[in-house]
Amino acid sequence: MLVTYLEASRDLCETDSILFGAALAVCRIIGAKVSTAGRATGQSSDIPAWRRRIEERIAKARARIGRLICFRSGNNRPRIVRTVRMAFAGTNFSLSQPDITQKLTERIDDLKQRSAAWGKRIRRYTKRSTRFNQNHLFQSDQKRLYESLEQPIISGTGPAPNQADNVAFWRGLWSEPVNHSEGPWTEVMASQCEGITPMDPVIITPDDVAEAVRRAPNWKSPGLDGLHHYWLKGFVVCLTVLARQFQEALNQKSLPSLFTTRITHSVPKDQGTTDSSKYRPITCLPTIYKTLTSILFSPFSSENATRADVCRVALKIVLK
């Protein structure tokens, strides 16, 4: 079905909408839960499901312990009595037994031991998960591992900054006009770039798109379109269409406004979460736009090698 729709697509915006609709249809067919509010993917909870289940057991056990203690102290309200009957469900227990106090004490001790065991299980699993993640990070990025060990753990669960203060802070950085005075480095850079041979016209092939998609992480945070690289890898029939439309966009020197519209998340840099200046903005751009930029700045093929070398030379000049 995608072939028919993609062949009729007129631009990258339509292609993006078609791919998003196909991904949503697949999710509905297999029964997967998705968030489509604003076509942006909501962040999932950092607490794993197994830990939430154990914490719920502990919370229920503690509530039951409190009501059993109340009943043992003489509180005979219907709700308390109902909890006591539930605590002894499946046993030959009766409220008129002479040793009811001993039975209650044993049941309370049993629930306390279970809660303690569940708590130890959470700590054991958490320690194992941390050790596993650190070992994996050591294999992939040692610098990032050492930085995470040296830096304190920052929690963003505190009070958020005031919305008015937040808007005023970022408006002062982004909205107010600023007069920049270009230094002599611009003249130096211009003189050094005079000897650079102009690069050949950019030619994007389906193989370039396929390689860029293959190298991209499956579930990297998407932009406003909510489309992940996972779907581009699955819908292989879209690669040829994307290559053609990428080429058309470069030839026309224009991109849809969707590709430059972004979602910005504020990440706290330290514990002072009420200060707007202590947040780091992380911007998420649409997946298809990131695919295009990865093709332009990565030497996936011989045609792209020249423009990648030119980009590296320009970056070296700027850094000097």
Side-chain angles (χ1 to χ4, degrees):
M1 293 177 62
L2 270 179
V3 176
T4 304
Y5 286 99
L6 290 174
E7 288 179 351
S9 175
R10 293 172 295 180
D11 53 27
L12 286 168
C13 273
E14 283 194 13
T15 301
D16 187 272
S17 297
I18 292 169
L19 294 175
F20 179 84
L24 184 61
V26 172
C27 291
R28 288 179 175 175
I29 291 172
I30 66 177
K33 295 181 179 180
V34 293
S35 174
T36 58
R39 296 195 65 179
T41 303
Q43 294 182 348
S44 60
S45 174
D46 293 334
I47 302 176
W50 61 265
R51 179 166 181 171
R52 289 199 301 269
R53 287 194 297 267
I54 296 178
E55 289 177 348
E56 289 175 359
R57 294 179 194 171
I58 294 175
K60 291 180 180 179
R62 288 176 176 174
R64 186 165 293 180
I65 288 171
R67 293 182 182 180
L68 290 177
I69 292 175
C70 290
F71 183 79
R72 189 175 60 180
S73 301
N75 189 336
N76 295 324
R77 288 186 300 175
R79 186 177 180 182
I80 301 297
V81 174
R82 187 164 56 250
T83 302
V84 173
R85 295 185 185 278
M86 292 174 58
F88 289 94
T91 63
N92 296 325
F93 173 78
S94 175
L95 297 178
S96 60
Q97 290 181 354
D99 58 344
I100 185 173
T101 302
Q102 181 181 354
K103 294 288 186 181
L104 289 171
T105 303
E106 292 176 355
R107 189 59 177 168
I108 291 171
D109 291 341
D110 178 66
L111 291 174
K112 288 182 178 180
Q113 291 176 10
R114 290 189 180 187
S115 299
W118 289 330
K120 290 181 180 178
R121 184 181 299 178
I122 290 178
R123 290 190 292 271
R124 184 171 66 251
Y125 286 177
T126 302
K127 186 180 297 184
R128 178 186 178 278
S129 177
T130 302
R131 184 168 60 250
F132 175 83
N133 292 333
Q134 289 178 348
N135 290 338
H136 180 73
L137 193 58
F138 181 81
Q139 297 292 335
S140 59
D141 192 347
Q142 295 183 12
K143 179 181 178 181
R144 184 179 172 189
L145 170 63
Y146 294 138
E147 289 178 351
S148 66
L149 295 176
E150 294 174 358
Q151 296 175 354
I153 299 176
I154 298 175
S155 174
T157 58
N162 181 272
Q163 184 175 0
D165 296 339
N166 204 18
V167 171
F169 173 77
W170 291 110
R171 180 174 292 163
L173 295 179
W174 290 342
S175 300
E176 296 180 1
V178 178
N179 295 323
H180 297 283
S181 58
E182 301 294 348
W185 66 271
T186 56
E187 299 179 0
V188 175
M189 180 177 176
S191 62
Q192 293 181 354
C193 289
E194 290 177 355
I196 298 178
T197 304
M199 66 182 184
D200 298 330
V202 177
I203 300 175
I204 298 178
T205 65
D207 291 338
D208 295 334
V209 180
E211 184 64 18
V213 171
R214 185 189 66 82
R215 294 167 62 96
N218 284 345
W219 301 108
K220 191 172 183 180
S221 297
L224 191 65
D225 59 349
L227 187 69
H228 294 83
H229 276 107
Y230 173 85
W231 301 107
L232 298 185
K233 295 180 181 181
F235 302 146
V236 293
V237 294
C238 73
L239 302 181
T240 303
V241 177
L242 286 177
R244 174 174 56 83
Q245 293 180 346
F246 283 161
Q247 191 67 53
E248 292 174 355
L250 292 180
N251 295 339
Q252 298 171 3
K253 299 181 180 180
S254 65
L255 284 173
S257 59
L258 171 66
F259 283 20
T260 54
T261 304
R262 57 214 181 267
I263 298 176
T264 301
H265 301 277
S266 298
V267 180
K269 294 188 285 188
D270 54 29
Q271 299 296 342
T273 54
T274 57
D275 188 353
S276 300
S277 63
K278 295 183 179 180
Y279 279 77
R280 178 182 295 106
I282 304 297
T283 299
C284 298
L285 290 166
T287 298
I288 294 181
Y289 177 76
K290 288 186 284 189
T291 302
L292 173 60
T293 56
S294 66
I295 295 172
L296 296 178
F297 294 99
S298 296
F300 289 140
S301 64
S302 58
E303 292 84 2
N304 295 333
T306 302
R307 60 177 176 271
D309 293 337
V310 172
C311 293
R312 278 195 290 268
V313 171
L315 287 174
K316 288 181 181 179
I317 295 174
V318 172
L319 292 176
K320 286 181 180 180

